[in-house]
Amino acid sequence: MAVIALLAIPETARAASRLLLELGDKGMAKATLTLEPQTGNQAGVLVRILALPFELDSKHRISNPDNVAVSVLSNSNGYALLSLLAPQSKQPIDIKIDNAFNLIGGKIKDRVILKCEVSYQFLRQHRSVLDLAPTTISSYDITILLPNKYDQAQLSFQPMGDWKADEQGRKYTLPASVFKSSASPNEVFIAFPSPFENDQQWKIIISFLIGIVLLTLGNFTVKREIGEIRLGLIIAVAIILWLIFAYFLYTAPKPMDLIEWAIAPMIPMAVAPFWGIWLLYAIKNQGEIQGKITLDSQPAPYLRADLIINGVPKKLKVNDDGTYKDWVWCGNKTIDFQIRADADGVQGTVSSSQHSLNAKDEERVETLNLQSLPLPPSSPSSGVTPTPSP
């Protein structure tokens, strides 16, 4: 069971500090640390060590005022130590940390738990830094901003009566004074309904869209015969699907789940737009040739045909029924061509007349009929019936 540990210890700094944790509904939390005006050293420089009650996520990003320097000293075992260097000021100092920590680890079934261990037991190696008062700040008024508004009956607290709620029912504050009393609890936490119950919605949406696209591709194979309108429709649907996939990939709490689940059906979706765009371009620049070849005026397999353009032959695929179809790149030119047919056991090749073809035109070539070789003549009969061998 993974939980997000928020660790707190008795306050050692002179001025109160506040820690606001904004729990986003996409699985990440944003932290805002506010330091009230404090007295610096004789040179008017404020030097502080900030013990944060959570371990920073690898994607964290710290934002601070231009005249304030902040760096990470240590980040492990459920805590982070930051160093702060700033000029003495009468104004509060705000330090913002985007993607501070991930909430998914604290999800148990349909609830998220933010757990605080007031003993600060995970800070061992640098524990003596907590005694450097007032240099070290390690205790805060912790305010948690929930991602949604919940009824009190949906929330759980420890200690029960020390959390203060705002009017909207989303913001709850636990004052640092709770940890000063002799009856300080060993553990405090807040539990609330998971805002990630809909984090699987992308599976439903993408499954539906993939089904629509595959159904479309099943009825209209991505080839030029379906026409420009249907090709454009397939391209548009495939691109929209990829945009939605990219959106959920960016916003899903666990992007790898989406990749592992959707990578196989998304591969043909990745090819479809490029192939469709190429076909749309080809349709506008190619002309179509159709024709038929027969043997003794009958369809026959194993016939051969060549497309001859400027004296250069190109093999054509001839179907078993003798029909053939091909596309010729014309661009802005008129292409002159001829068809030559051949087969084994025929009297010779047969060539069509000369034809001309322009882009987006369809040219039907006359049927080419091959003639079989005549059978050899049989020997004349002698009228004598041969005697069968014994």
Side-chain angles (χ1 to χ4, degrees), residues 259-306:
I259 295 176
E260 292 173 1
W261 175 83
I263 188 64
M266 289 304 295
I267 290 177
M269 297 303 100
V271 176
F274 297 102
W275 180 239
I277 291 172
W278 158 251
L279 288 181
L280 283 177
Y281 181 70
I283 287 175
K284 297 181 180 298
N285 291 275
Q286 290 181 327
E288 182 180 336
I289 297 172
Q290 295 186 26
K292 186 175 184 179
I293 303 172
T294 58
L295 179 62
D296 298 330
S297 301
Q298 299 294 327
Y302 310 117
L303 303 180
R304 299 186 294 270
D306 291 324

Side-chain angles (χ1 to χ4, degrees), residues 4 6 18-34 54 94-103 112 114 141-148 170-172 190 192 195-196:
I4 300 170
L6 298 179
R18 301 189 304 272
L19 181 61
L20 172 63
L21 303 178
E22 301 178 52
L23 311 184
D25 58 1
K26 302 304 180 184
M28 298 299 294
K30 176 181 178 181
T32 301
L33 178 61
T34 301
F54 51 82
D94 287 334
I95 301 171
K96 297 181 179 180
I97 307 176
D98 294 318
N99 299 324
F101 55 85
N102 196 310
L103 294 170
V112 173
L114 265 67
D141 291 338
I142 300 176
T143 300
I144 296 177
L145 180 61
L146 299 177
N148 300 306
R170 290 185 56 197
K171 186 181 293 185
Y172 294 84
I190 179 172
F192 56 95
F196 318 122

Side-chain angles (χ1 to χ4, degrees), residues 162-177:
D162 294 311
W163 294 87
K164 300 178 182 179
D166 68 344
E167 296 179 357
Q168 287 74 31
R170 290 185 56 197
K171 186 181 293 185
Y172 294 84
T173 300
L174 184 66
S177 59

Side-chain angles (χ1 to χ4, degrees), residues 9-13 49 51 81 119-120 123 126-133 136-138:
I9 62 169
E11 186 175 64
T12 58
I49 296 176
L81 292 179
S119 62
Y120 221 149
L123 181 56
H126 308 290
R127 192 172 185 83
S128 59
V129 77
L130 301 176
D131 299 325
L132 301 178
T136 299
I137 300 176
S138 57

